[in-house]
Structure formats: structure tokens, C-alpha cells
Amino acid sequence: MIKVVFLGFGNVNSHLFQVFQKSPTIEIVQVYNRSKKESLSEIAPVPFTDDLKEIKEADIYIIGISDDAIEEFSDLLPFRDRLVVHTSGGVEMNKISGKNRRGVFYPLQTFSKQREPDFQKIPICLEADNEEDLLVLKNLAKEISESIFEINSEKRAKIHVAAVFVNNFVNFLYHIGSDLLKEDNLPFELLIPLIQETAEKIEDLSPEDAQTGPARRNDQKTIQKHLLSLKNENYKEVYTLMTDLIYQQHRKKS
Amino acid sequence: MIKVVFLGFGNVNSHLFQVFQKSPTIEIVQVYNRSKKESLSEIAPVPFTDDLKEIKEADIYIIGISDDAIEEFSDLLPFRDRLVVHTSGGVEMNKISGKNRRGVFYPLQTFSKQREPDFQKIPICLEADNEEDLLVLKNLAKEISESIFEINSEKRAKIHVAAVFVNNFVNFLYHIGSDLLKEDNLPFELLIPLIQETAEKIEDLSPEDAQTGPARRNDQKTIQKHLLSLKNENYKEVYTLMTDLIYQQHRKKS
């Protein structure tokens, strides 16, 4: 059995909790949180504490709190030489206090309360101070995912920036699309099949090959028509910048 | 039987061809194209012509050529008072020559040779000069899709701009993500589950509610770290603009 204690019970840890519970080789020994979460008692009878001094023995301690708080929190832990990991894309492993053995267990996905993700496909990015601990993390990751990567803090930081582009910024483009349709009382549902096909396409085609549209063709007539129709100056700015960059990128190639 | 003639055999028409063929109530009478396409003889034994004068009788003529060419081409058709439609998001219905009855049959999707789309879910945006022709188009659309909308040229132009944001520009953000990972020899596959979940999430959550990330939280520490790590000035510009707009939008709300 791999014994796990959750330190904090935010979005990522509560999803890990749910998937770990399904594995016969993972034992969730305890959940620590500053305050008792109602959601916790609903989902399973696991020992809970809000007292750092009462944290139990385990093979792996998983910190799941806000990025900024990781360093200070890890310093407060009242034990030494145990394997303590965080789950963050944007925080270096060494932010965890050196009094314990350190690691990272970063599932590269966007989690929301409303949705249960399919962990099998989620890339788990692992890092550890030493080979032995890395193996422990690998064994844990294998229980929930088929997609396991060893990634150091520097590369993980790069992945985290890339994730902001393909998740946060992409979602904001969905928002712009929704907003444009709203002006004409058109339902956002119109765009959903297009959005989903755009995302699925890149399994077969590289984003470079999948690129289409007026910017790629340098179809100035359509581009000018679109710019005229955009009333929101911010959206105009996004349109102009993206169009320029797509055009530049594909001109270079041809 | 609904009798259809394809005028031109580009991306959209060739996908329509394939899905129409499966319907027992649609008869593809003929395909016209300037030159014989090899792909055509491979897929089915349908009469072909490259001579406008030999175009046969049908209930609906579907023009599937580049946007710019629709007006002139429709003028060259050697018949009158028949129902002629185009499949374009960005072209007004009235660009079709008035000597025929006019309409639009616009499947709101991105088509690529490599992928067979599920037409059932694709919104078909219809427009026609009169109610009777609209009904003919509705009957045709019903054969392939469950999602049918009557949309005039003005609203369709708006949808077309929105589609550029959620398809072309989103795909370019995928390209940036891929490019950032390439700098560190990381595989693009790492980002695919995140990309797909981002696109699927909006079935349950509005893009506004689905928005997460450093920009939404106004997490300046992470934002500055990301900007420092971006070497490409263009990508920096995209990062700054999108971050500002996400922050503005969510500050307004709170």
C-alpha cells in the first residue's frame, strides 16, 4: 500500500482524493485542512485533522494549497525527512522546506468542481530530490494515469506558461465569441461544435497545419470587413494582433 | 427525393457530398467543377461535368468555391429561377446573381480532408429569399443535422467573426503553446488533454465562469515570472494583451 496524507483540500487535492480512493493500492491515511470542509465528510470516512501536530505517518504528503503559501506552510510542518510534494505547475520544487525530502506531483489539467476528469489521460509531471523518491511518485502516478513524465522545475515553469496560452487565453477567446453572439441575441451553443472540433483536430494535425482562416490566406477583404464589424476596441486589438502574427508565421514558411 | 447539384468541389462541398450520399432521400444528380477531381471518381459514381452548359435540373444548386468567386460565378450560370445557394459564412446571400432564387446553406464547422465530421451536431445556418425555398433548405438540412438555424446575412457575418476568434485564433494559441514546449524539447502531446478539457468544459460552464489563471486572480508574481520567461516578443505581446483584458473583464464583475 502507498500511504498518502493530503495537506490542504483545494481543487487539485480533492480531485486526487477522489481518484486515489478508487485504487486498491493507495491508502488515504488522513486529510489535513485549516478548517473542516463539508465536502469532505460527504465523500468518504477518512480521518481529518486541522492540527498540524496530529498529522500521521505516510509515504507521501501532498500539499494542495495556493502557490504563494506553499513555502511558508512547508516550513511549519512538525516533522523531518519525509517525502513532501506539491501539485503546482508554477512553483519550483525547492520552495518546499529542505527539512523534508522534496518532490512535485503536477497533474497537467484544469480542474473544476462540476466535472470529473478522466485521470488516465492526464499527464502527471513528476520531480524528486532523489531516484528513490522519484520511484515512489512514479508508482503513485501509475495508479491513476497512463501518461507519466519526469520534468524538472525549469521545464515545468515553461509548461505552465504554455498552459496559460492554451487554457486561460483560449477560454478568453471563447468568451469573446460568446460576447459577439450575445450582441445579436444568438446562442453560444452555435459555436460549441466548432470549438470542440478545433480542439480535437490537433490530435491528427499539428496546430501549424491546422491553421486556416482569413489571416492565413491574407484575405484582406474579409479582414477589413471583420474589423469594421467589431465595435469593442479591445476585441479589435486582439483581432489585429492575432491576424498579424498568423500572417507573419505562415509567410515565413512559404 | 431532394435533387442536388454541386457547383465546385472544395472542402465544404466534398464533405457535404459524402454525408448526402448516405441519405436515402437526397439524390446527388451531378457534380460540376472546372477540372475533374481525382478524389471524386474515387468516392462515387456520380455524373460529372466541367461544362456549365451541361448542368442538369435539380431542386438545389450548391456553390462551393472561394468566397471571392461566388458573385461572378453565379452570374455565369446559364439558367434562371432555380434555387442556388452558397455555403459561406462570410458572404451575403445577395452576392448570388438575382437571376436565380437565392439561399445560403452554411455548416458552422471547420472541415479538413483528414477528418470526417459528425454532421448530426453541426449547426446548419439557413437563409432564403422566400418561405418556400427556406422549407426546401430545411428539409435538406434535416437529413444531415439535428441543429438547424434560420440566420440572415447580417447575423451570419457576426457568427463568422466569432468563429475566427474561437477557431483560427484559438488554433494560433495552440501553436504558441506547441512552440514554447519545442524550445525545451517537450512534446506537444503534454498539452492535448488540457486543450480538450478546456473545450469540453464550456458545455457545463459559461466561458466567463470557466475563466481561471493568474490574470483572473491578478496574481502579479506569476504574471511577471511568465513574462520574464517568454523570449519571443510577439508572444509577450499576446500574453500582456490577453492578461489585461481578462483582468479588466473580471474586475468589472466583482
Side-chain angles (χ1 to χ4, degrees):
Chain A
M1 291 293 267
I2 308 174
K3 291 183 177 185
V4 170
V5 165
F6 286 107
L7 303 174
F9 208 66
N11 219 350
V12 177
N13 267 4
S14 63
H15 277 102
L16 286 176
F17 179 98
Q18 284 177 62
V19 66
F20 284 173
Q21 270 206 313
K22 292 177 196 154
S23 159
T25 50
I26 300 174
E27 183 189 345
I28 303 171
V29 174
Q30 191 184 36
V31 172
Y32 160 87
N33 202 54
R34 267 188 307 187
S35 59
K36 177 128 192 174
K37 292 243 175 175
E38 274 181 43
S39 57
L40 186 58
S41 44
E42 277 164 28
I43 40 181
V46 163
F48 171 85
T49 183
D50 57 6
D51 184 350
L52 287 173
K53 284 179 253 108
E54 286 181 9
I55 292 173
K56 297 186 182 175
E57 284 267 354
D59 300 311
I60 307 171
Y61 295 82
I62 302 179
I63 300 179
I65 61 179
S66 68
D67 286 6
D68 272 351
I70 293 173
E71 185 165 6
E72 202 184 327
F73 175 80
S74 69
D75 229 13
L76 295 175
L77 292 173
F79 49 76
R80 313 184 72 82
D81 297 322
R82 301 188 193 170
L83 177 54
V84 176
V85 306
H86 72 64
T87 59
S88 167
V91 177
E92 292 148 57
M93 181 175 73
N94 289 344
K95 291 282 177 186
I96 298 172
S97 160
K99 67 182 172 184
N100 281 296
R101 283 142 43 217
R102 298 175 286 204
V104 176
F105 191 93
Y106 170 48
L108 180 40
Q109 187 51 286
T110 171
F111 295 100
S112 36
K113 272 181 203 144
Q114 295 86 342
R115 294 175 57 86
E116 202 175 328
D118 174 8
F119 265 95
Q120 283 297 314
K121 290 183 198 158
I122 298 177
I124 312 282
C125 303
L126 303 177
E127 184 178 6
D129 266 336
N130 63 67
E131 281 302 315
E132 209 174 322
D133 287 336
L134 189 66
L135 190 66
V136 175
L137 295 180
K138 273 186 188 163
N139 287 334
L140 181 68
K142 263 189 234 161
E143 286 297 311
I144 59 169
S145 173
E146 288 161 357
S147 179
I148 296 165
F149 295 84
E150 193 187 334
I151 305 273
N152 65 26
S153 290
E154 200 187 330
K155 289 193 177 191
R156 195 176 58 256
K158 199 58 140 322
I159 293 173
H160 195 237
V161 185
V164 166
F165 280 90
V166 304
N167 169 242
N168 302 157
F169 295 169
V170 159
N171 184 74
F172 190 67
L173 293 179
Y174 298 162
H175 169 78
I176 295 179
S178 156
D179 214 32
L180 292 173
L181 293 199
K182 233 181 248 166
E183 289 174 7
D184 279 4
N185 292 315
L186 291 162
F188 181 56
E189 284 62 38
L190 268 169
L191 295 177
I192 289 182
L194 176 63
I195 283 173
Q196 295 185 342
E197 172 66 11
T198 305
E200 279 164 32
K201 215 173 185 172
I202 49 149
E203 277 195 290
D204 298 334
L205 286 170
S206 74
E208 212 167 338
D209 290 333
Q211 192 67 56
T212 57
R216 169 152 195 181
R217 302 191 295 275
N218 193 23
D219 171 355
Q220 283 300 328
K221 211 168 133 186
T222 301
I223 292 168
Q224 294 312 321
K225 202 153 75 172
H226 284 174
L227 283 172
L228 268 176
S229 83
L230 289 168
K231 291 167 207 145
N232 181 317
E233 288 301 322
N234 291 333
Y235 298 170
K236 249 186 197 154
E237 204 178 334
V238 173
Y239 191 99
T240 306
L241 177 60
M242 298 297 276
T243 295
D244 283 356
L245 296 184
I246 293 170
Y247 173 65
Q248 273 179 44
Q249 190 229 328
H250 286 276
R251 194 188 43 180
K252 262 189 289 177
K253 267 186 70 191
S254 56
Chain B
M1 290 295 264
I2 308 173
K3 291 184 176 184
V4 171
V5 165
F6 286 107
L7 303 174
F9 208 66
N11 218 349
V12 178
N13 267 4
S14 64
H15 277 102
L16 286 176
F17 179 97
Q18 284 176 61
V19 65
F20 283 173
Q21 270 206 313
K22 291 177 195 154
S23 160
T25 51
I26 301 173
E27 183 189 343
I28 303 171
V29 174
Q30 191 184 37
V31 172
Y32 160 86
N33 203 53
R34 266 187 308 187
S35 59
K36 177 126 192 173
K37 292 244 175 175
E38 273 182 44
S39 56
L40 186 58
S41 45
E42 277 166 27
I43 42 183
V46 163
F48 171 84
T49 182
D50 58 7
D51 184 349
L52 287 173
K53 285 179 252 111
E54 286 180 11
I55 293 174
K56 297 186 183 176
E57 283 268 354
D59 301 310
I60 306 172
Y61 295 82
I62 302 180
I63 300 179
I65 61 179
S66 69
D67 286 5
D68 272 350
I70 291 173
E71 187 167 5
E72 201 183 328
F73 175 79
S74 70
D75 230 13
L76 294 176
L77 293 173
F79 49 77
R80 312 184 72 82
D81 297 322
R82 301 189 194 169
L83 178 53
V84 176
V85 305
H86 72 63
T87 59
S88 166
V91 177
E92 292 148 56
M93 181 176 74
N94 289 344
K95 292 282 177 188
I96 298 172
S97 161
K99 68 182 171 184
N100 282 295
R101 283 144 41 218
R102 300 175 284 205
V104 177
F105 191 94
Y106 170 48
L108 179 41
Q109 187 51 287
T110 170
F111 295 100
S112 36
K113 273 184 204 142
Q114 297 85 343
R115 294 175 58 85
E116 201 176 329
D118 174 8
F119 265 95
Q120 283 297 313
K121 290 184 198 159
I122 298 178
I124 311 284
C125 303
L126 302 177
E127 184 178 5
D129 267 336
N130 63 67
E131 283 301 317
E132 210 174 321
D133 287 337
L134 189 66
L135 191 67
V136 175
L137 294 181
K138 272 185 188 164
N139 287 334
L140 181 67
K142 263 189 234 160
E143 286 298 311
I144 60 168
S145 173
E146 288 161 355
S147 179
I148 297 166
F149 295 84
E150 193 188 333
I151 306 272
N152 65 27
S153 290
E154 201 186 330
K155 288 193 177 191
R156 196 176 58 254
K158 198 60 138 324
I159 294 173
H160 195 236
V161 185
V164 166
F165 280 89
V166 304
N167 169 242
N168 302 157
F169 295 169
V170 160
N171 184 75
F172 190 67
L173 293 179
Y174 298 162
H175 169 79
I176 295 179
S178 155
D179 213 33
L180 292 173
L181 293 200
K182 231 180 250 168
E183 289 174 7
D184 279 5
N185 292 316
L186 291 162
F188 181 56
E189 284 63 36
L190 268 170
L191 295 177
I192 289 183
L194 176 63
I195 283 173
Q196 295 186 341
E197 173 66 10
T198 305
E200 279 164 33
K201 214 173 185 171
I202 48 149
E203 276 196 289
D204 298 334
L205 286 170
S206 73
E208 212 167 337
D209 291 333
Q211 191 67 56
T212 57
R216 170 151 195 183
R217 302 191 295 275
N218 193 24
D219 172 354
Q220 283 300 329
K221 211 169 130 186
T222 302
I223 292 168
Q224 294 313 321
K225 201 154 75 173
H226 284 176
L227 282 172
L228 268 176
S229 82
L230 289 168
K231 290 168 209 147
N232 181 316
E233 288 302 321
N234 292 333
Y235 298 170
K236 250 188 197 153
E237 204 178 335
V238 173
Y239 191 100
T240 306
L241 177 61
M242 298 298 274
T243 294
D244 284 354
L245 296 184
I246 293 170
Y247 173 65
Q248 274 180 43
Q249 191 230 329
H250 285 276
R251 194 187 44 179
K252 263 189 289 176
K253 268 187 72 192
S254 57

